[in-house]
Amino acid sequence: MPCSWQGRPGARVIVTSSSDEKLARAKGLGAHHGINYRDNPDWSSAVLALTDGRGADHIIEVGGPQSFAQSLKASARGAQINVIGYLGGSEGVINPLDIFRRQVKARGIPVGSRESFEAMNRALAVNRLRPVIDRVFPWAEAAQAFRHLEHGSPFGKVVLDHTQ
């Protein structure tokens, strides 16, 4: 999910998805642009076009090696790519020269500690942020929730409620 707007404060958010419906929903939540990566597999070119050739300053990478290669191509000089997931398998080729040429910083963001989770929840409460929730399942239906994650292409978080 590249973010950039020519170095100005705030972010111009560019969202990538394989679903036009999800892109429309993301725009409804405030995203400025959406790129369907199935329709446009070279989506980095679209990001460059949307940023007047500059590229994105911050990228949230969740896809995998094919997506990471596109993220590198979509990056501005000195950009930061935060890898927080790896859904697209392990096969692929990444050219380290693309990192060097753009002087990109890539960071792996693992699942955090309980302390980090609690700090995040406090920040959500203090700032009155409301995460997007796709669906809530009772705790006893955890298996169904995992199937939904695997096959349902959720938009937002899937929640297990231990009080139900």
Side-chain angles (χ1 to χ4, degrees):
M1 194 180 299
C3 305
S4 178
W5 189 241
Q6 301 174 349
R8 296 181 192 156
R12 297 284 296 179
V13 177
I14 303 168
V15 177
T16 61
S17 175
S18 63
S19 163
D20 289 335
E21 178 187 341
K22 286 184 179 183
L23 291 172
R25 288 181 71 187
K27 286 180 183 179
L29 291 169
H32 297 88
H33 304 283
I35 303 167
N36 186 318
Y37 61 78
R38 286 219 175 120
D39 295 342
N40 189 354
D42 183 32
W43 57 263
S44 60
S45 295
V47 171
L48 292 172
L50 290 167
T51 59
D52 297 324
R54 185 178 184 287
D57 294 312
H58 296 279
I59 297 176
I60 312 276
E61 173 59 56
V62 298
Q66 305 303 330
S67 181
F68 191 88
Q70 285 292 305
S71 289
L72 282 171
K73 291 176 183 176
S75 297
R77 184 178 182 95
Q80 182 167 309
I81 300 174
N82 293 292
V83 182
I84 61 169
Y86 220 70
L87 304 175
S90 59
E91 297 298 319
V93 176
I94 295 174
N95 185 348
L97 288 176
D98 287 332
I99 296 170
F100 178 76
R101 286 182 192 117
R102 289 181 174 77
Q103 299 176 341
V104 170
K105 297 171 204 83
R107 291 185 342 158
I109 309 292
V111 174
S113 65
R114 180 182 179 112
E115 181 181 342
S116 295
F117 179 71
E118 290 171 350
M120 177 195 69
N121 285 326
R122 284 191 302 275
L124 289 170
V126 166
N127 293 293
R128 296 188 179 113
L129 299 175
R130 299 186 51 89
V132 176
I133 296 176
D134 178 80
R135 190 161 166 201
V136 177
F137 289 87
W139 184 260
E141 296 177 14
Q144 184 179 348
F146 283 111
R147 282 192 296 277
H148 179 69
L149 278 171
E150 187 176 17
H151 302 293
S153 295
F155 184 90
K157 298 299 177 190
V158 174
V159 176
L160 290 174
D161 185 346
H162 71 282
T163 65
Q164 291 187 19

